Amino acid sequence: MPIPEAAWVRETIIAGGYAQGYFLMGEGDCLGWYTSRQRALIPLDERFHYPKSLQRVLNQHRFQVAINRDFAAVVEGCANRPNTWITPRLKDVYHLLYATGWAVSFETWQGDELAGGILGIVIGGAFIGESMFYRIPNGSKVAMVQLVEHLRRRGFLLFDAQLQNPHLQRFGAYVVSDPEYRQLLAQAIRKPCQFL
């Protein structure tokens, strides 16, 4: 189904905002562009690591990986928390970006049950992680490990996690200044990588 012209213009502007180093957050009925003096990045090189206990889970092959098998459920899973910036308006933005190929969901499944997932925006060789969630323990952690492997295979340069937290630090996430981030982002978005 063709995207109406107004929607095409809107998604182009939104993707342009991400390409300039901003990200969207919602509050009530409002959406705002944000940036940070420091950006958290997930390393795509040897600095990426994870707990040994997770290696046992990976070795047991408890989860299957899928891309965009249920994008809407991943958006809902990411939004389903007591305090969320993923408002109904932001959900609409994600669905528009998904329909036009900018937004993706990287998922883990146990049979027919969605175990966890990561919601992101893809621009060239940059994966901009918006949020992650799990329904089954370790579902999002396995998604993180498998997503890093996927991005490496596809030649991506940047995995932007936006804001640092203790959970991401366990995977080797590190912080760069805003000028450093923008320089890395400019290099990454020029690289013609294919996520799918």
Side-chain angles (χ1 to χ4, degrees), residues 42 48 50 54 57-58 63-65 74 77-78 81 106-110 114-119 131-148 159 167-168 170-171:
I42 304 294
F48 180 75
Y50 47 87
L54 186 56
V57 174
L58 290 162
F63 302 101
Q64 301 79 48
V65 169
V74 171
C78 289
R81 58 190 74 196
F106 194 88
E107 308 156 4
T108 50
W109 291 77
Q110 275 193 347
L114 180 61
I118 300 172
L119 172 65
S131 186
M132 61 192 299
F133 83 104
Y134 70 92
R135 291 180 182 162
I136 297 173
N138 293 310
S140 62
K141 294 175 185 174
V142 170
M144 174 72 79
V145 173
Q146 296 294 336
L147 175 56
V148 166
F159 184 165
H167 173 69
L168 295 176
R170 297 179 70 194
F171 291 89

Side-chain angles (χ1 to χ4, degrees), residues 15-133:
Y18 279 95
Q20 292 177 48
Y22 298 96
F23 54 90
L24 280 171
M25 295 181 77
E27 186 174 349
D29 290 333
C30 298
L31 288 178
W33 285 108
Y34 293 85
T35 189
S36 175
R37 291 181 183 154
Q38 294 187 320
R39 280 303 255 272
L41 304 181
I42 304 294
L44 297 176
D45 56 21
E46 69 283 347
R47 292 173 291 175
F48 180 75
H49 58 265
Y50 47 87
K52 289 182 180 177
S53 58
L54 186 56
Q55 185 61 58
R56 288 191 290 273
V57 174
L58 290 162
N59 292 342
Q60 292 167 355
H61 303 288
R62 296 183 200 173
F63 302 101
Q64 301 79 48
V65 169
I67 298 172
N68 296 338
R69 180 172 165 185
D70 196 339
F71 180 85
V74 171
V75 171
E76 290 301 321
C78 289
N80 185 18
R81 58 190 74 196
N83 297 310
T84 184
W85 66 96
I86 303 178
T87 59
R89 274 193 78 188
L90 188 50
K91 289 179 190 178
D92 290 342
V93 168
Y94 288 145
H95 286 286
L96 173 63
L97 293 175
Y98 171 70
T100 51
W102 298 103
V104 296
S105 60
F106 194 88
E107 308 156 4
T108 50
W109 291 77
Q110 275 193 347
D112 291 329
E113 186 175 357
L114 180 61
I118 300 172
L119 172 65
I121 310 295
V122 174
I123 305 174
F127 181 90
I128 302 164
E130 291 286 288
S131 186
M132 61 192 299
F133 83 104

